[in-house]
Amino acid sequence: MANKIFNISLRLLPFLAVAPMLMACGGSDDVPGVEPLPTERPIQFGGEVRSEVEQSTRASGIGLEDEGYKSFKIWASKTLQSDATQSVMNSYIVTWASNTAGTTESNTHDWEYVNTTLGQTIKYWDYNATSYRFWAYAGDNSSGAPNDGITTNLSASTDGTTFTITGLALSTTPPKTHLFSSLNVVESANFSKPVVMEFLHPYAKVRVMFYCDDVIDEGDEVEIGASTFGPESPDKLITEGTLKVTYPQSGNVSETYETVPTSTVAKPKLSFNKVYLTHTEGTASNNAVCAVPTEGTDYYYAIPNAYNCAFTLSTTIEGDPKNATVPAAYMHWQPNYVYTYIFKITEAGKKIELYDVKIDPWKYGGSQDEEWRNW
């Protein structure tokens, strides 16, 4: 299977990583044994890499700006020691411009939010606060922010706590669209460091693979006919919808998600082209093949939804009809995840059954928590 589209799609989830900053040293009046108070430090975005994975990613030049997203809108609040919260940034627009790092106090890595025309002033860390919360989305072009060629029929809105993206549709074309950020809670120990904002995709990716072990003689080829994969009830597959991402202001630190379907009948099943499966002795990776969607590319970009019903794969093996079932427990599609359903050919090609389900974060580097608890 060609990996080109897959690799490009992974790049749709870039990140802005952290760079360490030295805390201000105390002067000659420092009292021995007493920690000096930090000096005033501006909130900044962007930075250097933090791990080997991110090192190789960043070295290849992959960033939010490299995918055409040269602005994002951000909200921030701080939690005081009394547990009260105060807004710090309300829909601030952060823009990227090459070779501008270090030209202002608030811009260390080409990302700037201070804009007197928009009334956006520089913000400093409050060391009396216990934590800050940041969330954002990219692809917005309101209030004069550049959109830089991000074309989409989607629309996005927010009321300050919930990001709503409408117009999601089932597709096999990698959509360039609004991205949303995973909630970033910065504890007091990390005040003064540039803020990491990792942007996620509102879709899930879904594909089907077939696998054989030793039931096919080495070098033999088995034809797996055109396949369909869908819920047992044909009207359950969501083909259009709206995703709502709600961010807490305090307490629980995780986002919550809600998908509101607007259509469930246009495409009752996912459809895949026929493929040929060949057994190669001693090379397990060659004993599997991906079924390419009939509409092209490698994946379906699917509407996130927690399906509460089993899915059925229907296909043929050398012309004989075969079916296999995936339990409902494996059919909860979450935003920003990749789902691979692997079916095994058994009994010398006469039977097909579910072999494995791979669920992977759709990301390339970054710091995303792989456990999504609110779906």
Side-chain angles (χ1 to χ4, degrees):
M1 170 187 130
N3 289 322
K4 182 177 180 182
I5 297 297
F6 177 63
N7 290 335
I8 292 175
S9 299
L10 286 175
R11 295 176 59 202
L12 288 176
L13 296 177
F15 57 90
L16 305 174
V18 161
M21 296 180 63
L22 296 176
M23 299 295 291
C25 296
S28 58
D29 295 332
D30 287 349
V31 179
V34 176
E35 186 75 17
L37 290 175
T39 58
E40 201 170 52
R41 298 284 189 177
I43 295 175
Q44 303 161 332
F45 298 94
E48 296 177 356
V49 297
R50 294 182 298 156
S51 70
E52 292 183 1
V53 172
E54 295 173 6
Q55 179 75 51
S56 61
T57 303
R58 199 59 190 174
S60 65
I62 299 172
L64 192 66
E65 67 278 9
D66 296 305
E67 294 299 333
Y69 296 90
K70 296 186 179 179
S71 70
F72 62 89
K73 185 175 284 189
I74 193 161
W75 287 256
S77 63
K78 63 183 177 180
T79 301
L80 306 178
Q81 295 190 26
S82 64
D83 289 334
T85 60
Q86 290 183 0
S87 175
V88 177
M89 295 179 174
N90 184 6
S91 67
Y92 267 37
I93 294 174
V94 187
T95 57
W96 181 89
S98 62
N99 301 317
T100 59
T103 57
T104 67
E105 188 180 8
S106 52
N107 180 355
T108 55
H109 291 83
D110 294 335
W111 289 95
E112 178 64 82
Y113 63 85
V114 174
N115 187 317
T116 55
T117 301
L118 299 177
Q120 298 180 180
T121 59
I122 191 168
K123 298 295 182 179
Y124 295 92
W125 294 101
D126 179 358
Y127 290 95
N128 290 315
T130 59
S131 64
Y132 277 71
R133 291 167 183 253
F134 297 87
W135 67 276
Y137 70 85
D140 176 78
N141 64 349
S142 63
S143 303
N147 207 28
D148 296 286
I150 301 300
T151 59
T152 176
N153 60 353
L154 301 177
S155 60
S157 62
T158 181
D159 61 5
T161 59
T162 300
F163 171 44
T164 302
I165 180 167
T166 58
L168 295 175
L170 191 67
S171 173
T172 53
T173 303
K176 262 200 169 180
T177 178
H178 296 271
L179 307 176
F180 68 94
S181 69
S182 183
L183 183 68
N184 186 338
V185 178
V186 179
E187 304 293 344
S188 58
N190 291 315
F191 291 0
S192 299
K193 297 178 181 179
V195 177
V196 177
M197 295 305 299
E198 183 175 53
F199 289 88
L200 313 178
H201 210 287
Y203 291 91
K205 294 203 296 186
V206 178
R207 65 176 177 173
V208 165
M209 292 183 66
F210 296 99
Y211 169 79
C212 72
D213 194 357
D214 56 0
V215 297
I216 301 173
D217 292 336
E218 184 178 2
D220 284 355
E221 186 176 71
V222 172
E223 180 188 275
I224 301 175
S227 307
T228 61
F229 184 56
E232 293 177 341
S233 177
D235 63 350
K236 293 291 186 181
L237 187 63
I238 295 177
T239 57
E240 297 177 359
T242 295
L243 178 66
K244 295 183 178 181
V245 187
T246 302
Y247 297 85
Q249 298 302 294
S250 61
N252 177 23
V253 298
S254 298
E255 311 94 318
T256 55
Y257 305 92
E258 177 187 1
T259 296
V260 180
T262 56
S263 175
T264 58
V265 296
K267 188 189 299 292
K269 297 194 183 285
L270 308 183
S271 57
F272 298 88
N273 292 313
K274 69 179 178 181
V275 293
Y276 294 91
L277 190 57
T278 302
H279 174 63
T280 303
E281 189 67 32
T283 312
S285 61
N286 289 343
N287 300 335
V289 62
C290 285
V292 177
T294 55
E295 299 174 22
T297 75
D298 295 337
Y299 290 86
Y300 278 102
Y301 294 81
I303 311 301
N305 187 63
Y307 289 103
N308 293 314
C309 61
F311 271 47
T312 299
L313 175 84
S314 297
T315 189
T316 61
I317 301 177
E318 295 296 338
D320 295 330
K322 306 293 179 182
N323 293 311
T325 300
V326 178
Y330 297 105
M331 300 313 307
H332 292 185
W333 293 343
Q334 302 172 9
N336 201 64
Y337 268 75
V338 181
Y339 297 83
T340 302
Y341 298 92
I342 306 173
F343 298 90
K344 185 175 182 179
I345 308 300
T346 63
E347 297 181 10
K350 296 184 182 296
K351 183 180 178 182
I352 186 170
E353 63 184 27
L354 179 65
Y355 174 71
D356 194 12
V357 180
K358 289 180 58 63
I359 303 174
D360 302 303
W362 178 4
K363 66 173 184 174
Y364 199 66
S367 57
Q368 174 192 328
D369 183 353
E370 297 184 10
E371 181 184 1
W372 294 60
R373 298 175 293 276
N374 297 304
W375 191 258

